[in-house]
Amino acid sequence: MHTLKLQIQDDMYESIVSKGIDINHKLQEFIATLADDGYPAISTQEAKKRVADAVQRYRDGNGTYTPLDKDYMDEMHNYIQSL
């Protein structure tokens, strides 16, 4: 097992402890989320196939896309023009 050394300011530590928060448990949960995003892993070959399929759908005009908000598009256009 590896050791992780965490330095927390005294007042912050006291606040955490007074709220009954289990620091070790919270750190374990956080580190687990860093290692696993919840999605199953796919192979490089599968990833390339998915991208190729998406490109083909785009080229064929068969894809469905989320429309962008007009206000957002106007804001981005104005921003680009100001550069």
Side-chain angles (χ1 to χ4, degrees):
M1 178 183 289
H2 296 288
T3 301
L4 178 67
K5 183 176 179 181
L6 179 65
Q7 292 182 321
I8 301 175
Q9 294 176 350
D10 291 341
D11 57 336
M12 183 182 291
Y13 179 81
E14 293 301 324
S15 176
I16 291 169
V17 169
S18 70
K19 292 178 181 176
I21 297 172
D22 182 351
I23 297 172
N24 284 328
H25 180 71
K26 291 292 185 185
L27 283 173
Q28 288 172 2
E29 286 179 348
F30 174 70
I31 291 170
T33 61
L34 292 175
D36 182 10
D37 61 3
Y39 292 98
I42 62 171
S43 67
T44 301
Q45 183 178 1
E46 175 64 18
K48 288 179 179 179
K49 180 183 178 308
R50 290 183 188 187
V51 170
D53 290 347
V55 169
Q56 193 59 48
R57 284 193 309 272
Y58 177 78
R59 288 180 178 159
D60 293 342
N62 297 330
T64 56
Y65 307 98
T66 305
L68 293 176
D69 180 43
K70 184 180 177 343
D71 292 338
Y72 173 78
M73 292 299 295
D74 292 342
E75 182 181 340
M76 286 294 101
H77 175 75
N78 293 335
Y79 174 73
I80 291 169
Q81 294 303 315
S82 71
L83 295 177

